[in-house]
């Protein structure tokens, strides 16, 4: 949270030193509220897809989960992904929260990795379509961003291969052996937390999930298919921000495509929420779209809706859930405590 606060201050200072800060509040107060409201609605629908896909994959493993619980787990995952470098905190924290509901860590991790795999497939697929759609225009008007797009495509495509390979036993076994070796470097901690036994149990749960999923490929296919509209919803927020500034000269599909390529180009940056890279990337990718000296204001509004608003919502859910869980925990005997 301190890092996020620092990024907000950095953005404000950036505006002050660029002598645009004085126009920002005036510009923002004259935005079209209907389009901003539509952006909020789109974001909420995106959360429903996030929770719905998690619920689908959990149900395929006969793990009961309500839509409300799956949306909570989904939002918690997004929140921790946004506040940790390279989005590394999302799935581990989701697994920790699911453990409270007695879902084995190995099983929940496998489900969550499959969820990530489905989304990455949709992400790369939509990005390829976007690049084919805009490549000629970008090459003519803004060729400097093409190398970043290619690097992003390679890294995100590689992540599909890496996480997909985890569902092959030799790869999973190698990862678990490495985890045991690493735990062995810290013998006191390994003994205290029974690391070797925990890793063996994790591997067994993960492997049983893999064997079971070979007979339930339909859930994976549905996960990928549903991730495509989910990704489109996430990328569509920029269009409503664009329209709220009074622009209409560019169509929805072009804004959707350029936002997809922007996301592709900065998603691998190892900073919480790719902060800094997102703002700089927006300025480079969208400079030909926000042309009325309002690019800085557009960065602030877009970032608020796509990042800070989600972080605030996630923080409220985390605090509320922790409070409710704390009350529930104190009402149970210690031997029934989880997490």
């Amino acid at each position: 949270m301190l890092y996020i606060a620092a990024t907000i201050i950095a953005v404000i200072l950036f505006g002050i030193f660029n002598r645009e800060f004085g126009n920002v509040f005036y510009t923002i107060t004259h935005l079209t509220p209907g389009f901003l409201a539509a952006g909020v609605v789109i974001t909420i629908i995106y959360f429903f897809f996030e929770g719905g896909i998690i619920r689908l994959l959990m149900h395929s493993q006969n793990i009961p989960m309500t839509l409300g619980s799956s949306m909570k787990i989904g939002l918690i995952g997004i929140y921790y992904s946004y506040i940790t470098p390279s989005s590394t905190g999302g799935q581990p924290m989701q697994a920790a929260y699911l453990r409270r509901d007695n879902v084995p860590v190995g099983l929940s991790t496998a489900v969550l990795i499959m969820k990530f795999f489905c989304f990455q497939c949709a992400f790369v697929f939509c990005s390829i379509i976007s690049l084919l759609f805009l490549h000629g225009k970008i090459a003519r008007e803004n060729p400097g961003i093409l190398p970043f797009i290619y690097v992003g495509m390679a890294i995100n495509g590689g992540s599909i291969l890496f996480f997909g390979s985890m569902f092959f036993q030799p790869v999973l076994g190698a990862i678990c052996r490495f985890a045991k070796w690493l735990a062995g470097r810290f013998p006191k901690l390994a003994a205290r937390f029974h690391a070797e036994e925990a890793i063996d149990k994790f591997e067994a749960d993960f492997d049983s999930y893999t064997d079971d999923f070979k007979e339930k490929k339909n859930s994976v296919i549905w996960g990928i298919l549903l991730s495509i509209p989910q990704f489109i919803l996430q990328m569509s927020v920029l269009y409503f921000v664009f329209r709220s500034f009074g622009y209409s000269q560019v169509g929805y599909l072009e804004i959707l495509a350029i936002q997809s390529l922007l996301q592709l180009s900065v998603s691998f940056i190892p900073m919480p929420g790719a902060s800094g890279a997102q703002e700089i990337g927006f300025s480079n990718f969208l400079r030909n779209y926000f042309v009325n000296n309002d690019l800085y204001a557009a960065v602030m509004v877009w970032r608020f809706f796509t990042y800070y608003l989600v972080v605030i919502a996630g923080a409220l859910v985390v605090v509320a859930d922790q409070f409710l869980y704390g009350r529930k925990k104190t009402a149970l005997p210690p031997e029934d405590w989880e997490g």
Side-chain angles (χ1 to χ4, degrees):
M1 297 304 291
L2 287 173
Y3 176 81
I4 292 169
T7 61
I8 294 174
I9 294 172
V11 170
I12 293 174
L13 291 176
F14 176 81
I16 292 174
F17 287 121
N18 279 271
R19 298 182 181 180
E20 296 179 8
F21 194 72
N23 298 326
V24 168
F25 291 117
Y26 175 83
T27 302
I28 291 176
T29 56
H30 286 75
L31 299 179
T32 305
F35 285 114
L36 296 178
V40 174
V41 172
I42 288 294
T43 302
I44 293 173
I45 298 174
Y46 164 80
F47 291 150
F48 273 98
F49 270 87
E50 180 75 10
I53 296 171
I54 292 174
R55 183 171 179 263
L56 168 71
L57 296 175
M58 287 291 183
H59 278 201
S60 70
Q61 296 301 300
N62 300 315
I63 300 173
M65 177 175 283
T66 65
L67 181 59
S69 295
S70 62
M71 286 186 63
K72 180 191 76 172
I73 292 297
L75 185 55
I76 285 172
I78 295 171
Y79 168 70
Y80 281 107
S81 293
Y82 278 14
I83 66 172
T84 52
S86 299
S87 303
T88 51
Q91 284 80 15
M93 290 306 299
Q94 286 176 314
Y97 276 83
L98 285 168
R99 187 174 182 273
R100 295 177 174 181
D101 298 326
N102 299 314
V103 179
V105 173
L107 183 57
S108 64
T109 301
V111 171
L112 295 169
I113 288 177
M114 183 57 70
K115 167 66 177 68
F116 177 78
F117 174 83
C118 292
F119 187 81
Q120 284 297 101
C121 287
F123 180 15
V124 172
F125 172 76
C126 292
S127 298
I128 290 173
I129 299 300
S130 298
L131 182 58
L132 293 174
F133 177 59
L134 282 183
H135 188 275
K137 182 172 183 177
I138 293 173
R140 291 191 308 271
E141 300 178 2
N142 199 5
I145 65 175
L146 283 175
F148 297 99
I149 295 173
Y150 297 147
V151 171
M153 189 74 73
I155 292 176
N156 284 281
S159 72
I160 294 175
L161 298 177
F162 173 76
F163 287 104
S165 70
M166 291 183 67
F167 293 93
F168 292 92
Q169 209 292 320
V171 177
L172 176 64
I175 292 173
C176 290
R177 287 193 297 272
F178 173 75
K180 288 181 182 179
W181 175 86
L182 191 62
R185 304 304 95 192
F186 307 93
K188 291 184 178 180
L189 287 175
R192 179 181 178 184
F193 293 104
H194 309 287
E196 187 167 341
E197 295 88 343
I199 293 169
D200 285 338
K201 186 177 186 304
F202 172 89
E203 183 176 5
D205 290 337
F206 198 109
D207 205 33
S208 67
Y209 167 93
T210 302
D211 291 338
D212 194 27
F213 241 102
K214 290 176 181 177
E215 300 177 359
K216 298 180 178 179
K217 293 185 177 68
N218 286 343
S219 59
V220 178
I221 295 172
W222 273 109
I224 295 173
L225 292 177
L226 290 173
S227 294
I228 293 175
Q230 183 194 11
F231 177 76
I232 291 173
L233 286 167
Q234 185 185 28
M235 297 299 102
S236 296
V237 174
L238 176 59
Y239 175 74
F240 294 101
V241 172
F242 179 75
R243 291 299 307 273
S244 72
F245 276 76
Y247 293 107
S248 59
Q249 74 276 18
V250 177
Y252 167 75
L253 291 179
E254 183 168 339
I255 297 297
L256 175 66
I258 198 68
Q259 167 66 92
S260 300
L261 296 176
L262 168 59
Q263 186 68 20
L264 180 77
S265 302
V266 302
S267 59
F268 59 88
I269 301 298
M271 302 297 283
S275 295
Q278 288 276 15
E279 288 81 2
I280 294 172
F282 187 98
S283 299
N284 285 297
F285 276 69
L286 277 302
R287 67 188 184 193
N288 294 331
Y289 294 88
F290 293 89
V291 294
N292 293 330
N293 198 30
D294 51 11
L295 181 61
Y296 174 67
V299 170
M300 291 187 66
V301 173
W302 167 76
R303 197 63 169 142
F304 174 78
F305 278 97
T306 60
Y307 183 65
Y308 296 112
L309 185 62
V310 177
V311 167
I312 292 169
L316 292 175
V317 169
V318 167
V319 171
D321 182 74
Q322 193 66 25
F323 173 75
L324 294 173
Y325 178 72
R327 293 185 61 181
K328 177 183 176 182
K329 187 176 179 180
T330 56
L332 295 173
E335 58 268 20
D336 292 334
W337 291 0
E338 287 286 344

